[in-house]
Structures are given as structure tokens and as C-alpha cells.
């Protein structure tokens, strides 16, 4: 539960969850919505994935992210 609370404490991570709530998106498309670097978005996605909030699927060289509603 601590990891989940820490993951949601960051406002940008909550915004990322809203983006991937109903559609699967690659990291680059997610990063395009924010004024931070792609590596920073990748770090946020890793935290969300480790907390169980998003799933990651590989499609060739792309990684696609989708919220896990459960």
C-alpha cells in the first residue's frame, strides 16, 4: 500500500493515469503531453507499473501502457 500511495502522491503520475485510463499509449505519446523529458516520463511510468496501476505491453520496439482499473 505504501508504494501505491507514494505513486499517487505525484500529480504528474495522476495525470498520466488519466491519459492511459481508456486507451493504450506509447511512452512517447504520453511524454508529448508534458513539459518534461521522456526519461522523466519513463521513470513515472516505472513507478506506476511497480505500484500495479499500469500494465506494459511490448509491440515491436514500442512499449504501450494502459491503466489497470482493478
Amino acid at each position: 500500500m505504501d508504494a501505491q500511495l507514494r505513486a499517487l502522491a505525484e500529480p504528474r503520475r495522476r495525470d498520466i493515469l488519466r491519459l492511459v485510463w481508456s486507451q493504450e499509449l506509447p511512452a512517447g505519446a504520453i511524454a508529448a503531453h508534458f513539459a518534461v523529458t521522456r526519461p522523466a516520463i519513463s521513470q513515472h511510468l516505472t513507478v506506476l507499473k511497480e505500484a500495479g496501476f499500469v500494465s506494459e505491453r511490448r509491440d515491436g520496439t514500442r512499449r504501450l501502457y494502459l491503466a489497470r482499473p482493478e
Side-chain angles (χ1 to χ4, degrees):
M1 179 125 164
D2 267 354
Q4 292 170 331
L5 291 174
R6 281 194 303 271
L8 293 177
E10 168 64 44
R12 193 166 287 131
R13 291 187 195 126
R14 294 192 302 268
D15 292 338
I16 291 170
L17 276 176
R18 286 183 195 99
L19 283 174
V20 298
W21 190 257
S22 62
Q23 63 182 342
E24 194 174 48
L25 292 173
I30 295 167
H33 287 86
F34 300 95
V36 297
T37 63
R38 284 183 69 174
I41 294 300
S42 290
Q43 289 176 353
H44 287 306
L45 287 166
T46 298
V47 171
L48 290 169
K49 188 172 68 169
E50 289 175 354
F53 288 118
V54 297
S55 62
E56 175 187 271
R57 179 177 70 86
R58 289 187 182 258
D59 180 31
T61 59
R62 297 185 324 159
R63 293 180 184 182
L64 301 169
Y65 296 91
L66 182 65
R68 296 180 60 200
E70 65 278 353

